[in-house]
């Protein structure tokens, strides 16, 4: 599931209105311990895949607050944000809303969500780093992690076996050696590793593995650091992968990667854990061979450690206009707490905390994504990060590097300058 960050541009005026009434809303919620109704907005993932968990949370709240009516609305990701922006400053705002973890920041910066006390929520002391960062702004907590999804390596066992490789790589050098064999055998019309150039999630994993970062904060100000020696080292190694193994269109992003993979034009991807299985779906598998031949593995990094991966996922937040913030918090805990996490894990999701994540490592079916998620990175929690994403600065930099239009150093310096213009502005 791909999460898109929406910027504050265009909703700034509305957000100011939300922020201005935030304190009043909080006091109202304290004076209404038993509201008559609760409105919960979730994405269709919950509606389609784990409606029983939603019902269990409802039942827990209805038992504690007899007579309360709980209303659910379900949205696709783009639809949800459009509707939310339209109602946040009105009395029609929901009491609970699901957010992609990279969507949180713009709303937190502009005061759209109520502050919460993390100690009142199960497993908060061990929330996954990538999710915990997404609900934290300037030391305060504005949401509760719901579930996570990581990135893993995935390759075709049949193609690798054809060049004598019988097990997944444990080191980066081993990975490259294996891919070299495939590339030599299949020729330059084939991508031993299909890695879309504009996929900044993969490229930034190389940056963080090398000790670099997109941006760093000092004294309350953020400064882009893509042209640092460490970041350039990571970007250079990423470019080596593009040059050697990616023989597809070097101007594309990752949105249709699973479709390309299903066409049999590649032997490997580094992608969200669900993409391999989706490629193997009969609707997408044009080879007829993927179902029994795809294998996930923890992506090794050039540093010698596991590659740090972007940890995507969902959070639940309470809009500042909610008049039922206390009960909203209770519902969230009932839904995302210990029993809820067990239900989410049973559906193939990663849990929101390290304690439950550790239990998945002992199960062969979940060991790879669980292990990969232990080493993660997240976007800079800077007030202007939404503007960085909206301008697609990283994607432009990576395309310029991958196509050879600019050197790593020049493209990184250009990206730094563009990021620094907006990263500290709300």
């Amino acid at each position: 599931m791909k999460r898109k960050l929406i910027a504050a541009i265009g909703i700034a005026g509305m957000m100011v209105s939300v922020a201005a009434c935030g304190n009043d809303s909080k006091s109202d919620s304290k004076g209404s311990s038993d509201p008559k109704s609760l409105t919960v907005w979730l994405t269709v993932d919950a509606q389609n895949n784990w409606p029983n968990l939603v019902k269990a949370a409802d039942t827990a709240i209805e038992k504690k607050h007899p007579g309360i009516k709980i209303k659910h609305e379900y949205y696709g990701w783009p639809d949800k944000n459009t509707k939310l922006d339209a109602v946040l400053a009105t009395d029609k705002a929901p009491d609970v809303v699901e957010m992609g973890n990279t969507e949180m920041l713009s709303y937190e910066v502009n005061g759209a969500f109520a502050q919460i006390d993390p100690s009142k929520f199960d497993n908060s002391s061990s929330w996954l780093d990538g999710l915990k960062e997404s609900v934290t702004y300037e030391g305060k907590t504005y949401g509760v992690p719901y579930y996570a999804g990581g990135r893993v390596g995935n390759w075709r066992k049949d193609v690798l076996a054809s060049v004598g490789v019988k097990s997944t790589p444990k080191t980066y050098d081993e990975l490259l050696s294996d891919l070299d064999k495939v590339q030599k055998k299949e020729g330059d019309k084939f991508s031993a590793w299909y890695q879309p150039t504009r996929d900044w999630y993969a490229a930034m994993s190389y940056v963080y593995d090398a000790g670099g970062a997109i941006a760093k904060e000092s004294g309350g100000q953020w400064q882009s650091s893509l042209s640092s020696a460490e970041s350039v080292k990571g970007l250079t190694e990423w470019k080596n992968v593009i040059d050697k193994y990616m023989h597809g269109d070097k101007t594309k992003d990752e949105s249709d990667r699973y479709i390309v993979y299903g066409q049999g034009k590649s032997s490997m991807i580094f992608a969200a854990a669900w993409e391999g299985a989706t490629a193997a779906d009969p609707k997408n598998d044009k080879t007829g061979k993927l179902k029994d031949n795809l294998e996930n593995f923890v992506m090794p990094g050039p540093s010698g450690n596991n590659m740090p991966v972007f940890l995507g996922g969902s959070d639940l937040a309470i809009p500042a206009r909610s008049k039922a913030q206390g009960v909203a918090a209770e519902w969230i805990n009932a839904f995302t707490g210990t029993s809820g996490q067990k239900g989410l894990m049973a559906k193939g999701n990663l849990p929101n905390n390290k304690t439950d994540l550790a239990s998945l490592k002992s199960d062969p079916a979940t060991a790879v994504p669980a292990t990969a998620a232990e080493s993660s990175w997240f976007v800079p929690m800077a007030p202007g990060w939404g503007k960085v994403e909206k301008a697609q600065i990283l994607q432009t930099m990576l395309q310029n590097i991958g196509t050879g239009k600019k050197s790593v150093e020049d493209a990184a310096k250009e990206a730094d300058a563009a990021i620094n213009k907006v990263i500290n502005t709300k």
Side-chain angles (χ1 to χ4, degrees), residues 45-217:
D45 304 310
Q47 182 182 32
N48 295 334
N49 299 318
W50 45 87
N52 58 314
L53 302 182
V54 177
K55 180 60 178 176
D58 289 350
T59 299
I61 298 305
E62 289 165 351
K63 183 177 181 180
K64 188 173 182 179
H65 301 276
I68 192 171
K69 295 187 180 299
I70 303 177
K71 178 183 178 182
H72 292 281
E73 294 186 28
Y74 295 95
Y75 295 93
W77 286 99
D79 299 334
K80 181 262 302 179
N81 288 335
T82 300
K83 180 67 179 293
L84 181 64
D85 295 345
V87 303
L88 267 178
T90 74
D91 60 3
K92 295 182 180 180
D95 301 299
V96 176
V97 62
E98 178 180 351
M99 304 291 296
N101 63 343
T102 62
E103 294 174 340
M104 287 289 292
L105 182 56
S106 290
Y107 292 89
E108 293 168 334
V109 167
N110 289 283
F113 297 144
Q115 184 181 346
I116 62 105
D117 179 358
S119 68
K120 294 183 179 180
F121 296 87
D122 292 357
N123 301 307
S124 60
S125 62
S126 64
W127 282 343
L128 297 180
D129 294 341
L131 296 185
K132 182 178 179 179
E133 289 180 50
S134 72
V135 299
T136 306
Y137 181 65
E138 294 186 338
K140 298 177 181 178
T141 305
Y142 293 95
V144 177
Y146 173 10
Y147 68 95
R151 281 163 171 71
V152 298
N154 180 285
W155 73 10
R156 289 183 56 175
K157 292 187 292 183
D158 56 340
V159 176
L160 272 299
S162 72
V163 293
V165 177
K166 298 180 180 179
S167 61
T168 53
K170 300 301 184 288
T171 69
Y172 190 71
D173 287 344
E174 184 181 343
L175 170 64
L176 299 191
S177 176
D178 294 342
L179 293 177
D180 286 343
K181 295 172 185 176
V182 171
Q183 196 65 67
K184 182 178 180 180
K185 177 178 182 292
E186 299 293 337
D188 60 11
K189 302 272 187 199
F190 186 84
S191 294
W193 176 350
Y194 181 75
Q195 179 51 61
T197 309
R198 293 174 66 86
D199 174 14
W200 62 277
Y201 300 107
M204 292 306 104
S205 287
Y206 273 89
V207 167
Y208 283 92
D209 180 73
I214 298 172
K216 295 183 178 181
E217 187 267 340

Side-chain angles (χ1 to χ4, degrees), residues 259-335:
I259 294 176
V260 176
Y261 199 32
Q263 293 171 343
K265 298 179 180 180
S266 172
S267 59
M268 176 190 152
I269 56 175
F270 174 38
W274 57 265
E275 291 188 51
T278 304
D281 187 296
K283 293 182 295 184
N284 301 314
D285 180 10
K286 305 306 180 183
T287 72
K289 301 176 181 179
L290 299 186
K291 183 179 178 181
D292 298 319
N293 276 306
L294 294 187
E295 186 173 20
N296 284 334
F297 58 91
V298 177
M299 187 71 179
S303 67
N305 299 315
N306 290 342
M307 185 78 85
V309 298
F310 174 78
L311 198 62
S314 280
D315 303 319
L316 296 175
I318 302 171
R321 290 284 299 204
S322 169
K323 299 298 191 295
Q325 291 180 19
V327 177
E330 292 176 8
W331 189 92
I332 291 174
N333 195 42
F335 187 53

